Amino acid sequence: MTSARMPLVVLAVVATLAAGVARSAYAHHSQSQFEPETTISIEGTLTKASWSNPHTLFLINAKKVGGSDAVQEWTVEGPAPRQLEAKGWGRTISKAGDKVTFEGRPRRDGQPELLLVGITLADGKTISFKPD
């Protein structure tokens, strides 16, 4: 290989690797399993919170607000802990046993899981996580 072509080969390899990393990152953060145009609210008792990166996860024994469904365990996926804390909700504010209302985008397949867009805490404080 000539030395004149070497920079092009290196550039091609770097571009290929960068595209692979970008695809992996996009796939990891895909939210395609959630209904983008639908928002529901569930209310119940917080049972567990995982305040770890890259996403917070909350378990809640809840039912849909205004619905007649039985209480079931829901999983709520939120943004990174730092993003929640920036909006005023941190790990010391809510604990297992608290009554909360989560607002979110439900899964397309009907599984009891939400992508978090808002919360009403036990004291009535409401926090929105919708994009500005």
Side-chain angles (χ1 to χ4, degrees):
M1 181 175 309
T2 66
S3 61
R5 293 186 67 179
M6 186 59 83
L8 292 175
V9 171
V10 170
L11 181 61
V13 169
V14 169
T16 302
L17 290 172
V21 169
R23 250 191 322 271
S24 295
Y26 178 77
H28 172 76
H29 293 287
S30 174
Q31 298 171 350
S32 63
Q33 71 269 33
F34 299 102
E35 289 284 351
E37 303 297 323
T38 304
T39 303
I40 65 167
S41 294
I42 58 171
E43 61 186 353
T45 304
L46 185 65
T47 59
K48 187 174 182 180
S50 173
W51 290 85
S52 59
N53 286 312
H55 304 283
T56 51
L57 285 174
F58 305 94
L59 297 180
I60 177 175
N61 287 329
K63 64 180 187 173
K64 291 180 186 175
V65 172
S68 59
D69 298 342
V71 171
Q72 59 183 329
E73 184 176 68
W74 285 76
T75 301
V76 180
E77 179 181 328
R82 194 165 204 72
Q83 291 175 294
L84 297 181
E85 290 163 356
K87 294 281 190 167
W89 186 33
R91 65 184 77 221
T92 61
I93 293 175
S94 296
K95 62 186 178 315
D98 284 355
K99 300 290 185 198
V100 294
T101 302
F102 282 113
E103 178 185 7
R105 308 218 185 281
R107 280 185 61 111
R108 293 177 188 269
D109 63 6
Q111 293 297 313
E113 186 174 342
L114 292 180
L115 179 64
L116 183 66
V117 296
I119 183 172
T120 302
L121 301 171
D123 64 3
K125 180 180 179 180
T126 301
I127 304 170
S128 175
F129 302 106
K130 294 177 184 174
D132 296 328

